[in-house]
Structure formats: C-alpha cells, structure tokens
Amino acid sequence: MNWGPNRTARNTLTFDPEGLTRTQREGDACVACHKKWPRPRIRIGRLPDDGALFACPECADALTQDLQENVYPLHQRVAFS
C-alpha cells in the first residue's frame, strides 16, 4: 500500500453516509470494521459533503487493494465502439 505524506491513502473513496453509523461518519470508528480503539488514523475516503472517513490499517489495505487491481495503465485500455 502506498501512503501519502500524512498517512493518507492515495486513492480516496466516496462513501454513502446512509449505511454508516454516527461514529463512522464522525471519524471515530473504522469505516469498514467499526473498530473504535485504537482510533483509526488512515484517511480512506470522504462523504459527499467532503467529511473525512478513516480506517484501521488492515481495512485500509483491503479497501484500496481492490481499487489498485482494477486500474489499468492508459496504454492498456481498449476503446469499445
């Protein structure tokens, strides 16, 4: 996993706040596993209103791994007509 200079994931996701608890929306619990202690510190995504969401290191790796596997270099993309 490549982390930014502030321990933030480079790929950020936008989450639907409807499926999250209040503590997750406020950044006090992991967005994936609900773990509150130690407080998650890795910024993994955002809400539509640009509120920050955090994840524990294990969940952050799992969430961003899917993104990295589905991204192809520009020269490998094929246009469908």
Side-chain angles (χ1 to χ4, degrees):
M1 176 87 212
N2 292 327
W3 301 106
N6 299 342
R7 290 277 304 156
T8 59
R10 293 185 189 232
N11 299 327
T12 57
L13 305 168
T14 302
F15 288 80
D16 181 8
E18 189 172 316
L20 302 175
T21 65
R22 190 182 97 215
T23 55
Q24 287 174 315
R25 289 190 306 264
E26 292 174 352
D28 293 329
C30 176
V31 73
C33 70
H34 303 270
K35 184 166 59 172
K36 295 179 186 177
W37 187 258
R39 186 171 185 241
R41 297 183 182 266
I42 300 170
R43 178 180 257 158
I44 192 68
R46 62 186 178 89
L47 295 169
D49 66 356
D50 289 329
L53 294 173
F54 296 90
C56 60
E58 298 83 14
C59 292
D61 284 339
L63 288 170
T64 56
Q65 183 176 6
D66 291 338
L67 288 176
Q68 292 171 357
E69 290 175 356
N70 294 325
V71 174
Y72 300 101
L74 187 59
H75 65 277
Q76 289 183 357
R77 293 182 185 166
V78 177
F80 295 101
S81 49

